[in-house]
């Protein structure tokens, strides 16, 4: 099953400008099992399931939650899409599997077991053990992959049809947008590109809320084969209510499926929440799993720094988001790529500057650091003192290019000069970028 496919789907079907790329966003992302629990509270149909983090917990779940099931779905829990088609670094293929009797020999090895429920669950224990604590690599994790700390054991449903459903925020209509497609699954991006007419988009008036007419349009786009139309409309309304009341920025269900007993079920889900709503969504934000996030971004958030990790070679420390973007652009113009976005803001302390340097130097890909400060509220002498103190705490193994301009610039330059540090100074942004690119590849 595909998670996070809305990024590409929106890119292709809604003609969002610019090339989609994988990067961290300023929003909360929760695990599938957490999303299922939340949807269940809102009356959304979800498969029965339980998250476990150890083999003993797997055994207990089988006994307590699934005593009469002959098959279960085992889903690795990481905050990235493409799990089903991923590969563990241990060699195990796929992060989502159905436990079937006819696969016992393949998973258990040379021992051939009979297809009884006992042996099926023996295989499940072995299989979960092969997932837990292992690193799963998908097309969204990068080659480093992510550690699977939990697996989600789910009831295996008898699905007769798989569709796609999502709610996101649309800049054009300035409100929620529901996206539906009568086909779902791992090929949704390809389908959206080849058959865009299959994608139904229903904008919702945020002041009026979702109407029966809106819900009917969505259900028509899903084109269920066996599920009751009225019941399906109610499920759509409940999902919209969840989206609004929990400050979601994304609610994606792929697939939303029909079962053999004529139910519409959210078989897999991805939910993101607006970080600006953390103060009023404390229960939801307590679900954050920092072990699944970029450790540099976790450290930056703790230091109240605006940091986003990228894949380049030149680390950047800048004050002001606009100047930070311009700095990244000119590095790219000079033929190289920035390693990060880092805005220290207009009122950073020396301690924050020191922390910023620690984060920048923790990235093994960084070959040079470019400090670009235009002092207004942020004073150049504070930045300079922070750089000097950072050098005392962090072993600087890469060249540092510094461009200072603005408030207290003379004091700042004096502090750097008297420190005895080997720094490369620049007169303007273009000069700074040129020097940073040059020293990074000498």
């Amino acid at each position: 099953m595909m998670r996070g496919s809305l990024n590409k789907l929106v890119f292709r079907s809604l003609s969002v400008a610019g090339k989609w790329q994988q990067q961290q966003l300023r929003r909360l992302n929760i695990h599938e099992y957490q999303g299922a629990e939340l949807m269940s509270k809102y009356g959304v149909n979800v498969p029965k399931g339980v998250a476990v983090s150890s083999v003993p917990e797997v055994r207990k779940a089988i006994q307590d939650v699934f005593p009469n099931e002959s098959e279960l779905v085992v889903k690795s829990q990481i905050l990235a899409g493409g799990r089903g088609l991923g590969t563990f670094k241990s060699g195990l293929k796929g992060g989502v599997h159905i436990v079937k009797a006819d696969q016992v020999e393949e998973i258990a090895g040379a021992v051939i077991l009979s297809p009884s429920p006992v042996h099926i669950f023996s295989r499940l224990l072995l299989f979960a053990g092969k997932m837990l604590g292992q690193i799963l690599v998908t097309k969204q994790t990068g080659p480093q992959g992510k550690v699977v700390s939990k697996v989600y054991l789910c009831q295996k449903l008898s699905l007769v049809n798989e569709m796609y459903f999502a709610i996101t925020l649309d800049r054009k209509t300035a409100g929620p947008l529901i996206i539906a497609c009568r086909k779902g699954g791992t090929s949704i991006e390809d389908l959206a590109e080849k058959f865009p007419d299959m994608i139904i988009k229903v904008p919702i008036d945020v002041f009026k809320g979702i109407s029966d007419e809106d819900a009917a349009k969505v259900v028509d786009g899903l084109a269920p084969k066996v599920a009751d139309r009225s019941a399906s409309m109610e499920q759509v309304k409940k999902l919209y209510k969840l989206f609004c009341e929990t400050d979601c920025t994304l609610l994606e269900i792929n697939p939303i499926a029909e079962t053999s007993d004529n139910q519409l079920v959210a078989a897999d889900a991805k939910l993101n929440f607006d970080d600006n709503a953390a103060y009023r969504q404390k229960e939801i934000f307590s679900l954050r799993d920092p072990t699944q996030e970029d450790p540099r971004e976790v450290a930056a958030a703790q230091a109240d720094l605006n940091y986003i990790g990228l894949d380049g070679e030149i680390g950047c420390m800048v004050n002001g988001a606009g100047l930070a973007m311009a700095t990244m652009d000119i590095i790219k113009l000079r033929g190289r790529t920035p390693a990060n976005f880092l805005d220290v803001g207009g009122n950073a302390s020396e301690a924050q500057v020191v922390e910023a340097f620690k984060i920048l130097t923790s990235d093994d890909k960084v070959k040079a650091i470019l400090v670009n400060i235009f002092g207004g509220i942020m004073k150049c002498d504070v930045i300079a003192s922070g750089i000097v103190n950072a050098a005392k705490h962090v072993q600087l193994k890469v060249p540092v290019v510094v461009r200072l301009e603005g408030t207290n610039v003379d004091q700042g330059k004096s502090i750097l000069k008297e420190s005895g540090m080997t720094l490369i100074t620049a007169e303007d942004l273009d000069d700074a970028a040129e020097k940073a690119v040059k020293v990074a590849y000498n």
Side-chain angles (χ1 to χ4, degrees):
M1 296 180 184
M2 179 67 67
R3 286 165 58 83
S5 54
L6 184 64
N7 293 302
K8 289 186 178 179
L9 191 153
V10 170
F11 164 68
R12 289 168 175 166
S13 67
L14 302 184
S15 301
V16 175
K19 183 180 179 181
W20 179 88
Q21 54 182 305
Q22 177 68 19
Q23 64 181 43
Q24 282 290 105
L25 303 178
R26 302 289 293 182
R27 45 81 179 132
L28 172 67
N29 187 4
I30 64 174
H31 287 288
E32 176 192 2
Y33 75 91
Q34 296 168 325
E37 291 173 0
L38 183 60
M39 287 190 293
S40 180
K41 291 180 181 178
Y42 276 81
V44 177
N45 298 328
V46 297
K48 181 169 63 175
V50 59
V52 295
S53 56
S54 68
V55 172
E57 288 183 11
V58 174
R59 186 177 293 107
K60 189 175 189 304
I62 293 170
Q63 296 170 347
D64 297 347
V65 184
F66 306 105
N68 300 315
E69 299 288 340
S70 59
E71 288 184 312
L72 287 178
V73 184
V74 185
K75 298 183 175 184
S76 56
Q77 297 295 284
I78 60 171
L79 295 181
R83 294 171 301 158
L85 300 177
T87 302
F88 285 89
K89 288 193 173 181
S90 63
L92 180 64
K93 302 291 185 181
V96 178
H97 286 269
I98 298 172
V99 177
K100 291 184 177 180
D102 59 2
Q103 295 176 329
V104 171
E105 181 181 356
E106 175 187 348
I107 301 299
V111 180
I112 301 176
L113 302 174
S114 62
S116 67
V118 172
H119 287 148
I120 290 171
F121 290 130
S122 295
R123 170 185 173 264
L124 190 148
L125 290 169
L126 291 170
F127 195 65
K130 291 183 178 181
M131 285 184 169
L132 288 168
Q134 300 300 312
I135 297 175
L136 178 62
V137 179
T138 78
K139 64 181 182 180
Q140 290 190 17
T141 64
Q144 73 278 6
K146 288 183 179 291
V147 176
V148 176
S149 299
K150 287 181 180 288
V151 295
Y152 189 35
L153 307 182
C154 292
Q155 169 191 18
K156 179 172 182 309
L157 301 175
S158 177
L159 304 182
V160 297
N161 187 28
E162 295 186 6
M163 303 153 287
Y164 178 91
F165 176 93
I167 310 177
T168 188
L169 295 173
D170 181 36
R171 290 176 182 268
K172 184 177 180 180
T173 60
L177 180 73
I178 300 181
I179 301 173
C181 180
R182 64 178 181 270
K183 298 289 184 181
T186 57
S187 61
I188 184 66
E189 299 100 328
D190 295 333
L191 187 147
E193 182 177 27
K194 295 176 182 177
F195 306 103
D197 292 342
M198 293 181 66
I199 308 299
I200 305 300
K201 293 158 281 186
V202 182
I204 307 298
D205 187 321
V206 71
F207 298 105
K208 296 180 180 179
I210 188 168
S211 65
D212 288 342
E213 182 181 359
D214 294 330
K217 288 180 181 178
V218 175
V219 173
D220 289 342
L222 293 172
K225 297 177 180 179
V226 298
D228 179 77
R229 178 179 173 81
S230 296
S232 297
M233 288 172 58
E234 288 303 311
Q235 287 291 296
V236 170
K237 290 180 181 179
K238 289 175 180 178
L239 287 165
Y240 179 79
K241 181 180 181 181
L242 184 158
F243 182 88
C244 293
E245 291 187 358
T246 60
D247 291 296
C248 275
T249 57
L250 168 67
L251 189 161
E252 182 185 35
I253 303 174
N254 186 26
I256 188 167
E258 294 178 274
T259 62
S260 56
D261 58 353
N262 303 340
Q263 294 288 315
L264 193 67
V265 177
D268 191 9
K270 178 180 177 65
L271 288 86
N272 295 160
F273 304 88
D274 188 348
D275 277 359
N276 294 308
Y279 73 96
R280 66 184 181 195
Q281 300 289 353
K282 291 182 172 59
E283 183 178 353
I284 288 175
F285 276 76
S286 68
L287 302 176
R288 184 186 293 272
D289 183 358
T291 66
Q292 290 282 309
E293 300 175 14
D294 186 328
R296 299 170 300 175
E297 294 185 11
V298 174
Q302 292 172 345
D304 199 22
L305 296 169
N306 295 314
Y307 176 95
I308 298 175
L310 302 173
D311 294 325
E313 313 87 6
I314 298 179
C316 304
M317 185 171 72
V318 191
N319 69 313
L323 186 58
M325 294 296 290
T327 303
M328 295 165 65
D329 285 344
I330 201 166
I331 289 172
K332 193 71 175 177
L333 186 65
R334 288 291 178 181
R336 297 300 175 183
T337 52
N340 63 275
F341 169 96
L342 174 54
D343 170 20
V344 298
N347 196 30
S349 64
E350 286 187 26
Q352 285 176 298
V353 176
V354 171
E355 190 60 35
F357 260 90
K358 289 181 180 179
I359 294 169
L360 292 178
T361 54
S362 69
D363 188 343
D364 294 334
K365 296 190 297 293
V366 169
K367 297 181 179 179
I369 295 174
L370 171 54
V371 179
N372 183 24
I373 302 297
F374 190 88
I377 300 174
M378 184 72 253
K379 296 177 176 61
C380 292
D381 58 323
V382 174
I383 292 291
S385 297
I387 294 173
V388 173
N389 286 333
K392 297 176 182 178
H393 294 86
V394 180
Q395 187 176 1
L396 294 176
K397 298 180 180 179
V398 297
V400 179
V401 179
V402 181
R403 180 254 182 163
L404 298 178
E405 195 60 71
T407 305
N408 294 351
V409 63
D410 292 334
Q411 294 96 312
K413 289 181 177 179
S414 296
I415 291 171
L416 293 178
K417 185 176 180 180
E418 294 169 4
S419 70
M421 295 177 61
T422 303
L423 300 172
I424 301 170
T425 59
E427 296 301 319
D428 54 41
L429 176 53
D430 190 54
D431 182 40
E434 183 177 3
K435 288 178 177 177
V437 169
K438 184 178 180 180
V439 297
Y441 292 92
N442 269 353

